Amino acid sequence: QVQLVESGGGSVQSGGSLRLSCAASGYTYSNYFMGWFRQAPGKEREGVAVIGSDGSTTYADSVKGRFTISQDNAKNTLYLQMNSLQPEDTAMYYCAAESPAYYSGYYYYRRPWLFRYWGKGTQVTVSS
């Protein structure tokens, strides 16, 4: 059974940084996409960044140049390095995975409902 456990959230001031981690277990697929999504109160869940099994990455325009998604296959861990955080980045951040991957990263990051496996989330709060 696939389990995803996020960590690394917290409270920071505007301009600060955080690194989120997502530890995956029971996940042995070779063709997949994994990603980070976020949901603020009263808003729909939105894609932040996704990464494919080939290492290809896709980012939401709002985080390009500030966030970096990466993975350590040896540790079965997904990361999201978040720099220059702004109050509008405040949300619950979720890790998600889907396999097999049929479409592009751009297709997946805009469609969170395509991801079958989800973590419980980690809260990120950015104050001005």
Side-chain angles (χ1 to χ4, degrees), residues 2-9 18-27 32-37 49-51 68-82 93-98 115-122:
V2 176
Q3 287 191 324
L4 303 175
V5 180
E6 304 96 334
S7 62
L18 284 172
R19 188 176 82 154
L20 305 183
S21 299
C22 172
S25 60
Y27 198 78
Y32 61 82
F33 268 98
M34 293 191 73
W36 290 97
F37 294 80
V50 299
I51 187 167
T68 302
I69 188 172
S70 62
Q71 59 188 350
D72 185 331
N73 292 330
K75 296 182 178 179
N76 289 331
T77 302
L78 180 73
Y79 301 100
L80 184 69
Q81 178 66 44
M82 305 186 295
Y93 282 71
Y94 298 91
C95 171
E98 173 59 16
F115 288 77
R116 282 181 292 167
Y117 307 110
W118 289 86
K120 293 183 178 181
T122 185

Side-chain angles (χ1 to χ4, degrees), residues 56-77:
S56 61
T57 57
T58 304
Y59 296 91
D61 288 343
S62 60
V63 306
K64 280 180 182 176
R66 300 189 299 124
F67 291 10
T68 302
I69 188 172
S70 62
Q71 59 188 350
D72 185 331
N73 292 330
K75 296 182 178 179
N76 289 331
T77 302

Side-chain angles (χ1 to χ4, degrees), residues 34-53:
M34 293 191 73
W36 290 97
F37 294 80
R38 65 186 182 187
Q39 188 166 18
K43 294 189 177 181
E44 292 186 352
R45 190 168 297 189
E46 63 174 1
V48 175
V50 299
I51 187 167
S53 50

